[in-house]
Each structure stands twice: as structure tokens, then as C-alpha cells.
Amino acid sequence: MAANASFAAALFIGLSLLFAVTAEDPYRFYEWNITYGDIYPLGVRQQGILINGQFPGPDIHSVTNDNIIINVYNSLDEPFLLSWNGVQQRRNSFVDGVYGTTCPIPPGQNYTYVLQMKDQIGSFYYFPSLAFHKAAGGFGGIRILSRPRIPVPFPDPAGDTTVLIGDWYKSNHTDLKAQLDNGKKLPLPDGILINGRSSGATLNVEQGKTYRLRISNVGLQDSLNFRIQNHKMKVVEVEGTHTLQTTFSSLDVHVGQSYSVLVTADQPPRDYYVVVSSRFTSNVLTTTGVLRYSNSAGAVSGPIPGGPTIQIDWSLNQARAIRTNLTASGPRPNPQGSYHYGMINTTRTIRLASSAGQVDGKQRYAVNSVSFKPADTPLKLADYFKIDGVYRTGSIQYQPTGGGIYLDTSVMQVDYRTFVEIVFENSEDIVQSWHLDGYSFWVVGMDGGQWSPDSRNEYNLRDAVARCTVQVYPSSWTAILIALDNVGMWNLRSEFWARQYLGQQFYLRVYTPSTSLRDEYPVPRNALLCGRASGRRTRPL
């Protein structure tokens, strides 16, 4: 710990001097201590994972291009990692915080993450990526504001609030992990939380003012519907993209996704229900909070507002209605529509089919028949230090094989600066959610049935929303287009967390033979080294 603490101090001084001399992008410093603690989100005592004693963890507030320095002390009795859902880590997958890229922080030690919010705006979140820690907490919101001179397509809100929603179990994360390790499926979740609470979460407003809510589904599997009694919500941003400002009475937020909505306190002053309920589940879970006017004349009253339950078409139509605002600026002053993605020829089509089954009598999940098996060394470190035998490219095919499930350390190689089409195919009767680290992609199409080349006739090639997490409806497909402009080793995973844990993920190796710093940074000076990378030397500071 002392060595890393010394590094953090030296880093602080070095970066401060650098900033003073060059007036480059600002630095923001955080000190986080990760501990266990008793929490009672569903009324029973559980072992939670706390950050500086908080559940959920503290928000990260930043501005486009800010450098974020987070010194994380692991006071747990097991290895720990944090990952940053939606933060693209441009040219630097070493700090992505998943086991394929970053060595875990050992118990009793610390690690200093050096992140940059390069060319990004929007609403995201962080979470613990190892074991089944996400079921115990350790998550929090990330907001990246536009730089002061970059116009935002709506007036400054009176308030800006993180709203973390998600399903939850009464069991400790260690018990859930043990069930999965024994080859069993998990039971259905026990409840839903709003900012870590199953009841009593409160959003305070003043009559006549408009507020921004940054809603993220940080749960383990369920799609959730969010609504506020007697109030409309205007969607203005989705995972870093300013959207056409479409108004909804309720909003489906699939697991892993983030939205920004504007809510105006335009009703008679009293308390109103905030409702979150599960979607596409046999047993509908519901929890409530309160939207409280500062001059409230009374408590919540009337029936809890109902929402959609199993209706697929309702959700599909809403998803298609959420589109990019082409005239709004993104992280740069040029309009978001200035990049004409629909006019670029694709160089490859990748089709990804999910599947479920058993291997050696234990439950597993797969992509194109491969169920991911972690290697003994982070894949990105094996690349950097040229360690053979950790993984092999070609261990997962670009198309479904139709074969049975088998285990492998699946890595798919694609070339830097190519433009590819990825089709997610879901033959199962559940809603799936997929996330790609390091990137934002255009969601150009989704529909029921089997995808075929003729499905491209339905694609939105003008104003599709760009995001990093997308849903695939039952017996349906979703197509995305992506410009592979970020070299690295990037995790593509199911956000259904038990499926991710049991193999429904792989790594996309975006490759170039170039060693130029313009394409990729070298391994960080303070990188933790483990597995077969232990004892190697990182670069000088």
C-alpha cells in the first residue's frame, strides 16, 4: 500500500505542476475506501459494499476532457475492481477495470485510476466488476457536463439528480455467487431499489421549476419502468447523446442503461409517487419513492400509478422514438449530425447469437456457442508484454456456429479504423441487454423474427441514437453500426449479470500494428501486474 500511496502523492504533485505550467484540462481528485458494512435495503441485514461508508457510492462530477484521479483503497478481504460503464477510456483500455484488462486490487492495497473523460458528455455509472460484487453495492453515478462554451439544447435545470434504480436480492452476494459457482440458476430478485432504498427515496422540487434526472439501471437482470405520478418526462440525453426531446409518461430503462430526463414541477404542490416496476416478469416487482414539492400541501394519495408490464410492442415503439438531435452539439461544438454514419460502407458484419445450456452438468451461457472462461492473466497485459498462450484470436467466430456450448477464453479480433455492423440475435423468451466497453454505437434497427440482409431496408441511417448499452427483445434482433476508432481490448457482455458471470461475454480486440501514442497509450506506470505478467516492468513515469 505504501508504494502505491507514494505513487499517488507523486502523481498529485506531478499533475498539479503540469496543469500549472500548461493550463491543460483540469484534474479532479478522489480518495475512496472500499469496505463491507451492514445495509438493510429490503428490511433485512445484508453485507454491503460501501465507498467511504456510502451505499450507493458517491457521484463522480466532471466536465468533458477532465482528468479524474481516483485512489481506491481495498479494505475488503478479497480482490476488487471498479469499472466505468460508458466511459470510453480513449486509447487506454488498461484502466477499464474489468479482469480482461486490469489486475484486481489485492486486499489491503490500493490502486490509483487515472481516467480522462475524453470527448464525452452525458450520464453513466461505475460498478464493481469482479466476482458477484455488483449484488452488494459499490456502484454510483457518473455525470460529464459540457464545457462552458459548448451549447446545450435545453436551459440549465434548477437541479441535477442521480437516480440509480435496480433489482435486488435479500441474499448476500457471497451466497448468490456460491449458487452460480455450483452450476445453479439464481431465483428471481426480491425487490427493487431507488438510490439504495426500497421505500422512502425522495426527490425534492420547487413548484414551476424544471429538474434533470439522470436515471441508470444498475441492477442485475430486470428491465425497469420509471414514472412519476401526474408528471411527464422529456428525454434529452441517452448515454452521451443529446436526443430529440420526446415526452413520455413512463420510461423503460433496461439493465445497464442510462437516460437523462427533464421533469417540470407543474402540478398542485403536494407529494407524488415516484414508481419503478419490473418489466417482462411473471411476478411484477414495484417500489415507490416520493417527488416532494417544497410547499407540499399533503402526502402522496390515490392509487400507485400503473405502468406497462409485459407489452413488447409498447417498449419497442418507445425505443424507436428515441433518436439523435442532429442539430445539437455533443462534446464538441459541431452538430451531432455532422458525422453521416449512414453513408459509410461497412467492412464486416458480425452476428452474435446468445445461448444457454449446461457444460459438465453446470449452467453456462454463451455467445456464438463460446462460454467465456477467464484467463490467468489480463488479456490486455498479455498483449502488451507479448505473453503467449493466454488466449488466441479466432477463439470465437464472427457468425453463430449452431453448435453446443463449450468453454474458451473468447477474443474476437477486428481492425482499427474499420466500420462494422453487429447484429445481436435473441432466440430466447427474455429481454436481453448488451454493453460494449470503449465505444458508443448507432442503434440502427430492432425487430422481431430472424435477421437477414433484407432487414437492412428497415435501418435508420439518419438519426439513430448513439449509446453503449442496447436491448434485444425476445425472439428478436438488434443491429448496431460502430466505427472502430479506439484501439484496445474491450469487453462485450450481457448486462444480465448472472449470465455475464457464467460466460455470456467476450473481448473485442481492436488491433493495429502501430505503436504510436496517437493510437494507444502504453501500460500505465502504476499498473498492477498479476498472473504471468507478475514481475514485468512498466514504463517510466
Side-chain angles (χ1 to χ4, degrees), residues 282-303:
S282 54
N283 178 34
V284 178
L285 299 173
T286 302
T287 195
T288 61
V290 175
L291 182 78
R292 175 162 295 151
Y293 282 62
S294 60
N295 55 342
S296 174
V300 292
S301 61

Side-chain angles (χ1 to χ4, degrees), residues 227-239:
R227 52 199 182 272
I228 301 175
Q229 184 182 24
N230 294 358
H231 290 73
K232 301 291 186 181
M233 297 177 290
K234 183 184 292 182
V235 176
V236 294
E237 176 258 328
V238 175
E239 294 165 16

Side-chain angles (χ1 to χ4, degrees), residues 281-492:
T281 55
S282 54
N283 178 34
V284 178
L285 299 173
T286 302
T287 195
T288 61
V290 175
L291 182 78
R292 175 162 295 151
Y293 282 62
S294 60
N295 55 342
S296 174
V300 292
S301 61
I304 295 174
T309 53
I310 61 172
Q311 301 90 334
I312 297 291
D313 287 347
W314 186 97
S315 187
L316 176 61
N317 290 333
Q318 182 177 79
R320 288 171 171 166
I322 297 172
R323 296 178 290 150
T324 295
N325 183 337
L326 297 178
T327 60
S329 297
R332 297 186 179 189
N334 50 302
Q336 293 179 138
S338 59
Y339 189 96
H340 301 288
Y341 69 91
M343 300 176 66
I344 303 173
N345 293 326
T346 56
T347 54
R348 182 187 292 277
T349 295
I350 299 170
R351 292 170 49 218
L352 302 176
S354 62
S355 57
Q358 292 203 338
V359 176
D360 296 330
K362 292 187 174 183
Q363 183 67 43
R364 297 293 298 188
Y365 299 93
V367 184
N368 288 359
S369 299
V370 188
S371 186
F372 184 82
K373 178 180 66 173
D376 60 7
T377 304
L379 312 179
K380 187 60 195 168
L381 293 180
D383 257 7
Y384 182 80
F385 291 115
K386 297 181 171 54
I387 303 171
D388 293 332
V390 174
Y391 74 90
R392 58 187 180 88
T393 57
S395 48
I396 179 172
Q397 301 300 309
Y398 297 106
Q399 311 289 329
T401 65
I405 294 175
Y406 62 94
L407 305 182
D408 204 344
T409 304
S410 38
V411 176
M412 181 183 292
Q413 181 163 307
V414 287
D415 290 333
Y416 179 45
R417 290 182 175 163
T418 56
F419 194 75
V420 303
E421 172 188 42
I422 299 179
V423 182
F424 297 97
E425 301 178 359
N426 178 14
S427 62
E428 299 181 72
D429 61 357
I430 63 169
V431 176
Q432 298 182 344
S433 188
W434 292 91
H435 175 86
L436 175 60
D437 283 349
Y439 282 94
S440 182
F441 46 71
W442 291 275
V443 184
V444 293
M446 54 177 64
D447 207 349
Q450 183 69 36
W451 181 89
S452 73
D454 290 340
S455 301
R456 297 184 180 119
N457 297 329
E458 304 175 21
Y459 284 4
N460 178 355
L461 298 179
R462 182 174 181 271
D463 62 355
V465 70
R467 64 186 314 164
C468 56
T469 308
V470 68
Q471 73 272 26
V472 191
Y473 294 101
S475 302
S476 300
W477 56 268
T478 293
I480 66 173
L481 297 178
I482 181 169
L484 296 173
D485 59 358
N486 194 14
V487 175
M489 189 76 71
W490 303 109
N491 190 222
L492 196 160

Side-chain angles (χ1 to χ4, degrees), residues 82 197 406:
L82 285 170
R197 306 181 67 170
Y406 62 94

Side-chain angles (χ1 to χ4, degrees), residues 11-90:
L11 183 70
F12 182 94
I13 295 169
L15 294 180
S16 300
L17 289 172
L18 184 62
F19 174 56
V21 172
T22 66
E24 63 171 286
D25 298 308
Y27 288 81
R28 299 175 188 263
F29 295 87
Y30 296 84
E31 290 275 340
W32 286 358
N33 186 29
I34 312 300
T35 61
Y36 295 124
D38 289 342
I39 57 174
Y40 300 81
L42 293 179
V44 298
R45 187 173 70 178
Q46 293 177 258
Q47 183 188 68
I49 292 179
L50 314 181
I51 300 179
N52 294 349
Q54 299 179 46
F55 169 77
D59 279 358
I60 294 175
H61 291 211
S62 63
V63 175
T64 301
N65 293 343
D66 276 359
N67 298 282
I68 308 298
I69 316 300
I70 308 176
N71 192 19
V72 178
Y73 289 86
N74 178 14
S75 297
L76 308 182
D77 59 4
E78 56 186 327
F80 185 79
L81 266 182
L82 285 170
S83 191
W84 322 92
N85 219 63
V87 179
Q88 292 176 9
Q89 317 294 2
R90 304 295 300 180

Side-chain angles (χ1 to χ4, degrees), residues 59 61 123 141 143 157-164 194-195 202-205 211-216 259-261 291:
D59 279 358
H61 291 211
S123 309
R143 65 183 67 175
D160 191 335
T161 302
T162 295
V163 182
L164 303 178
I194 304 174
N195 285 344
T202 302
L203 305 175
N204 294 305
V205 298
Y211 296 82
R212 182 175 185 170
L213 305 182
R214 299 175 185 263
I215 307 166
S216 293
Y259 288 84
S260 277
V261 301
L291 182 78

